[in-house]
Amino acid sequence: MEVPFGYLDRQFANIDSYLDAIKKLVQSCDFTLGAPVRELEERFTELSGMPYSVGVGSGTDALILSLKILGIGPGDEVVTTPNTFIATVGAIAMTGARPAFVDSNLDYTIDVSQIEAAITPSTKAILPVHYTGRPAEMDTIMDIARKYDLFVVEDACTAILAAINGRQVGTWGDTGCYSMHPLKNLNIWGDGGVIVTKSEDVYNKLKLFRNHGLKNRDEVLMFGHNSRLDSIQAVIANRLMEEDNVYSITDRRIQNAMTYDKAFSDLGEFISIPERPNNIKQVFHLYIIRVQDRNNLLRFLNESGIKAKVHYPIPIHLQKAASYLGYKAGDFPVAEEHSRISISLPCHQYLTDDEINYVIEKVHEFYLG
Ligand SMILES: *Cc1c(COP(=O)(O)O)cnc(C)c1O
């Protein structure tokens, strides 16, 4: 049996309704910041409960634009974790600011108990990542931000619909940043991102900044960027948010993860599953666990047709790109251990019961023979 990690072929096997919607857009010629972009922004406003949403070119741009609008740049430091996708750290570096790392916890988010030690007089912001779809500990992060007068930009790129006590991620910070990349839970046909915010001032600046700072055709208020969410991509995103689609995708992923959790409960000697507190809604962009003999398990599963993966074998502080920051092996032991012993199992919404059972069976076979 083949159990794929990706699912786009299954998801988009029937695309007629998408193509009909795109045809309508093309006939309207409403390409640049068109009606579909405004419609999507309204959907995000509703979903997040935040008053303002801005569609931008990608999740990475959502982070960069947020940091820039908050005035972050050369000479500033932004605290984040090395246990994330490269884009989080790249976004900080692209503003000219310096990424300052804090180790991960066992739930794959920033270890809040170590944040204060990383704060210096140059620190301007904390950038928590709701990595794997698991919310970071926002209440503690906000307490620290208030104490040191720091901005907070939430990287919710992998965490649409994740929540703490029913409150959506992305709604604590100055901004919350979402990605709609094809590999994310709300997945369009190219790049796109959305920023949500409660600040009217931030919103107004973001709308200018994503579109060259233009107030209108003839007047420019600030020099800016071109990072408009593409109207064609917004059409796809709107389709995926209709009929509760992103909601059912999320529910199905949670169900799959709970099935795995339960099935692996007899392998406690070999597998450690992150805690699953009742008040946390984790949306399982990745189903990621820490396992004994990871590399051999990975090879065994891959050879059995199961496309398990590692996110990621090299932690960011040890990447070549980060060498100028001066970190070394041993600086962030938990993140480094994640790189050595974590594995991501296929968890997507199109897995069949047979496929999930096959994964469970093969993992058992590896450890128990
Ligand atoms: C995907 C991702 C991003 C960047 O999103 P893009 O839309 O691909 O630019 C940022 N942070 C994290 C944690 C991500 O997984």
Side-chain angles (χ1 to χ4, degrees):
M1 187 184 285
E2 287 282 313
V3 184
F5 200 89
Y7 48 87
L8 298 177
D9 51 341
R10 297 185 190 187
Q11 182 173 14
F12 297 119
N14 184 353
I15 55 170
D16 289 351
S17 68
Y18 293 86
L19 294 181
D20 286 346
I22 287 178
K23 189 170 173 190
K24 269 203 202 108
L25 174 78
V26 173
Q27 286 166 338
S28 76
C29 300
D30 196 9
F31 291 121
T32 305
L33 293 177
V37 174
R38 288 191 298 281
E39 182 186 333
L40 182 71
E41 289 169 345
E42 279 162 26
R43 287 178 190 274
F44 263 85
T45 296
E46 194 178 318
L47 175 148
S48 67
M50 287 287 99
Y52 306 109
S53 303
V54 183
V56 296
S58 67
T60 307
D61 273 0
L63 295 167
I64 295 174
L65 267 58
S66 293
L67 292 168
K68 285 204 168 261
I69 282 305
L70 295 169
I72 289 159
D76 298 334
E77 292 179 15
V78 177
V79 171
T80 193
T81 162
N83 186 65
T84 180
F85 177 55
I86 307 285
T88 312
V89 182
I92 296 169
M94 290 307 290
T95 69
R98 184 180 175 86
F101 291 130
V102 167
D103 206 357
S104 175
N105 59 27
L106 293 178
D107 303 322
Y108 297 90
T109 62
I110 191 166
D111 180 349
V112 293
S113 72
Q114 299 192 45
I115 291 178
E116 286 193 78
I119 292 172
T120 74
S122 302
T123 307
K124 288 283 158 38
I126 307 174
L127 203 168
V129 185
H130 306 298
Y131 192 55
T132 76
R134 167 74 179 238
E137 291 167 56
M138 289 314 301
D139 286 336
T140 307
I141 290 167
M142 295 310 294
D143 285 345
I144 297 169
R146 272 187 289 272
K147 181 169 165 191
Y148 293 92
D149 197 17
L150 304 175
F151 294 114
V152 174
V153 172
E154 289 179 66
D155 183 341
C157 283
T158 59
I160 189 168
L161 292 176
I164 305 170
N165 293 321
R167 178 173 171 184
Q168 301 291 316
V169 297
T171 64
W172 274 263
D174 294 278
T175 68
C177 302
Y178 294 92
S179 166
M180 300 185 292
H181 182 278
L183 296 180
K184 307 298 160 82
N185 291 7
L186 172 65
N187 51 341
I188 55 177
W189 293 0
D191 284 305
V194 175
I195 305 169
V196 299
T197 181
K198 54 177 112 33
S199 160
E200 187 179 2
D201 179 51
V202 167
Y203 170 67
N204 287 332
K205 285 180 182 157
L206 283 170
K207 285 223 302 185
L208 284 172
F209 196 57
R210 74 169 169 187
N211 190 25
H212 309 296
L214 286 167
K215 179 184 172 197
N216 54 44
R217 186 180 172 283
D218 300 323
E219 290 171 89
V220 61
L221 299 184
M222 64 198 278
F223 290 118
H225 195 44
N226 173 359
S227 182
R228 300 177 292 242
L229 175 61
D230 191 281
S231 292
I232 292 180
Q233 297 301 345
V235 167
I236 306 298
N238 284 321
R239 289 282 302 114
L240 284 166
M241 289 183 85
E242 274 165 20
E243 299 151 21
D244 282 352
N245 216 325
V246 71
Y247 296 88
S248 58
I249 287 172
T250 304
D251 288 346
R252 185 66 212 208
R253 281 175 175 267
I254 293 172
Q255 248 176 43
N256 292 346
M258 294 302 107
T259 303
Y260 280 143
D261 275 7
K262 214 163 141 207
F264 298 145
S265 60
D266 62 337
L267 296 176
E269 196 185 327
F270 311 104
I271 290 181
S272 114
I273 297 172
E275 272 185 57
R276 312 285 193 212
N278 281 332
N279 66 328
I280 300 280
K281 183 176 176 189
Q282 183 173 354
V283 296
F284 298 98
H285 171 248
L286 298 176
Y287 181 84
I288 187 165
I289 49 180
R290 291 153 58 90
V291 298
Q292 203 177 87
D293 204 7
R294 193 271 314 271
N295 289 347
N296 283 325
L297 174 64
L298 179 70
R299 191 171 317 120
F300 176 75
L301 293 178
N302 286 170
E303 281 167 2
S304 305
I306 297 165
K307 303 295 179 218
K309 289 189 189 302
V310 171
H311 297 87
Y312 292 93
I314 306 173
I316 295 181
H317 65 286
L318 301 180
Q319 292 282 355
K320 186 157 189 252
S323 59
Y324 76 101
L325 296 171
Y327 294 111
K328 59 186 187 314
D331 283 348
F332 305 107
V334 177
E336 290 168 29
E337 194 176 50
H338 285 329
S339 290
R340 276 196 306 277
I341 71 170
S342 290
I343 193 167
S344 307
L345 301 179
C347 189
H348 62 78
Q349 62 272 21
Y350 295 95
L351 291 175
T352 63
D353 290 348
D354 282 351
E355 289 170 331
I356 291 174
N357 289 334
Y358 181 68
V359 175
I360 291 167
E361 191 185 305
K362 286 290 161 188
V363 171
H364 279 82
E365 186 181 323
F366 178 77
Y367 288 114
L368 304 177

